[in-house]
Amino acid sequence: MRKPGFKKIWRSILCMDFSNGFLIAEIFSIYYPREVMISSFENGTSLKVKLDNWAQLEKFLARKKFKLPKELIHGTIHCKAGVPEILIQEVYTLLTHREVKSIQDDLVNFTDYSYQMRLPLVARSTASKSIKDNIRLSELLSNPNMLSNELKVEFLFLLHMLQRRLNRKLNPKWFDVKSTVGEVTLNQIPAQASGSSYNSKILRKRAVPVSSNTDNGGSSLRHIHVKQAGKYSDDSIMKPTINLEEKP
């Protein structure tokens, strides 16, 4: 069984090979040798080389009216996890007009979230490490807009917090999660409430006989049962009566 680290290394190598667009240009040059001249592309690793190569490819795609999502191009240039595989599938579909079965295990959100969820809890990245791994230096250099970069950081931080909450739900013993007072109360109230309502219904259905009790002061109390459909009248109230009989 392959370890999760092997898959990540393989993906990083694949991304580095396709990030500059040179291999994609070679593929298109086989199908369109007169329109894609491989000699005009440079096989380098600098950001300038990557942007120049992909700019030429985008012009060619526009002339041929091929639709290749810009998100895939952007993710391939900046080595986003899982993006080169999707790019190759799209190129295959454009050239052969055939659909290919997806090789992705799950949906790709341009982060290493799926990879982190496969790791043990102690080996997963912290919030700062997650931000460093998912925002490349080339991405900041090509787009120096502070607002967009801050939004990316906030999204990654939110994704990391959701991952931590999910870990606590799935592994409560590991984090020593204890139920709060509110959770304990909510778990106990429904049983008590249902029991009390059930008992009250039974008491209402039972007939209460008329009885009289005498307290120490010599006054008697009469309990009078009234129908439940109507409101209680004045007779239903326990009225004290004076006992005129003398005590022996």
Side-chain angles (χ1 to χ4, degrees), residues 213-241:
N213 295 328
T214 306
D215 58 0
N216 297 330
S219 60
S220 60
L221 301 176
R222 291 187 302 168
H223 297 274
I224 301 176
H225 177 68
V226 185
K227 293 182 180 179
Q228 296 294 329
K231 296 182 179 179
Y232 288 100
S233 61
D234 295 339
D235 295 337
S236 65
I237 303 174
M238 291 186 298
K239 298 181 179 180
T241 58

Side-chain angles (χ1 to χ4, degrees), residues 6-248:
F6 176 82
K7 193 172 185 179
K8 185 178 182 181
I9 294 173
W10 176 77
R11 283 185 172 181
S12 62
I13 295 174
L14 181 65
C15 188
M16 291 173 61
D17 292 338
F18 284 91
S19 62
N20 60 3
F22 188 81
L23 291 179
I24 301 296
E26 284 187 333
I27 294 173
F28 279 113
S29 64
I30 296 174
Y31 287 85
Y32 303 95
R34 296 183 179 180
E35 300 186 40
V36 179
M37 305 297 296
I38 196 63
S39 59
S40 61
F41 293 87
E42 185 178 353
N43 190 10
T45 57
S46 65
L47 180 61
K48 183 178 182 302
V49 171
K50 294 178 181 180
L51 295 177
D52 291 342
N53 289 346
W54 279 105
Q56 296 183 57
L57 287 174
E58 286 181 343
K59 291 179 181 179
F60 164 74
L61 294 173
R63 289 196 303 268
K64 303 300 292 184
K65 296 182 179 180
F66 289 155
K67 294 182 179 180
L68 197 62
K70 289 186 176 293
E71 292 81 5
L72 296 180
I73 298 176
H74 181 271
T76 304
I77 292 174
H78 303 297
C79 296
K80 296 293 183 179
V83 179
E85 294 94 323
I86 304 177
L87 180 70
I88 296 171
Q89 294 178 24
E90 292 293 331
V91 172
Y92 176 83
T93 303
L94 289 174
L95 295 176
T96 61
H97 303 287
R98 297 177 182 176
E99 294 292 336
V100 62
K101 184 179 179 180
S102 178
I103 60 177
Q104 294 292 334
D105 298 333
D106 47 11
L107 296 177
V108 177
N109 57 358
F110 289 25
T111 63
D112 62 345
Y113 175 81
S114 59
Y115 168 73
Q116 292 294 328
M117 293 302 294
R118 295 190 185 98
L119 293 176
L121 295 176
V122 295
R124 295 179 183 178
S125 300
T126 59
S128 59
K129 185 69 166 57
S130 177
I131 294 172
K132 291 178 182 178
D133 291 343
N134 291 286
I135 298 182
R136 308 290 182 181
L137 179 60
S138 59
E139 194 173 356
L140 299 177
L141 294 175
S142 61
N143 184 19
N145 189 349
M146 294 296 295
L147 180 60
S148 62
N149 293 329
E150 287 178 0
L151 292 176
K152 293 177 184 178
V153 172
E154 290 180 1
F155 169 74
L156 292 173
F157 185 76
L158 178 61
L159 187 64
H160 181 76
M161 295 303 296
L162 292 176
Q163 178 182 339
R164 289 188 60 184
R165 292 183 180 179
L166 181 61
N167 293 337
R168 288 177 175 272
K169 291 290 186 182
L170 297 178
N171 306 280
K173 295 182 179 179
W174 178 274
F175 294 94
D176 194 18
V177 178
K178 298 180 180 179
S179 301
T180 62
V181 178
E183 292 176 348
V184 174
T185 305
L186 290 176
N187 292 334
Q188 292 181 357
I189 282 180
Q192 295 178 356
S194 61
S196 61
S197 61
Y198 178 76
N199 293 334
S200 62
K201 291 179 180 179
I202 294 176
L203 291 176
R204 288 181 181 177
K205 291 181 180 179
R206 290 178 180 175
V208 180
V210 179
S211 61
S212 61
N213 295 328
T214 306
D215 58 0
N216 297 330
S219 60
S220 60
L221 301 176
R222 291 187 302 168
H223 297 274
I224 301 176
H225 177 68
V226 185
K227 293 182 180 179
Q228 296 294 329
K231 296 182 179 179
Y232 288 100
S233 61
D234 295 339
D235 295 337
S236 65
I237 303 174
M238 291 186 298
K239 298 181 179 180
T241 58
I242 300 174
N243 192 356
L244 298 180
E245 298 180 356
E246 294 181 358
K247 294 181 181 180

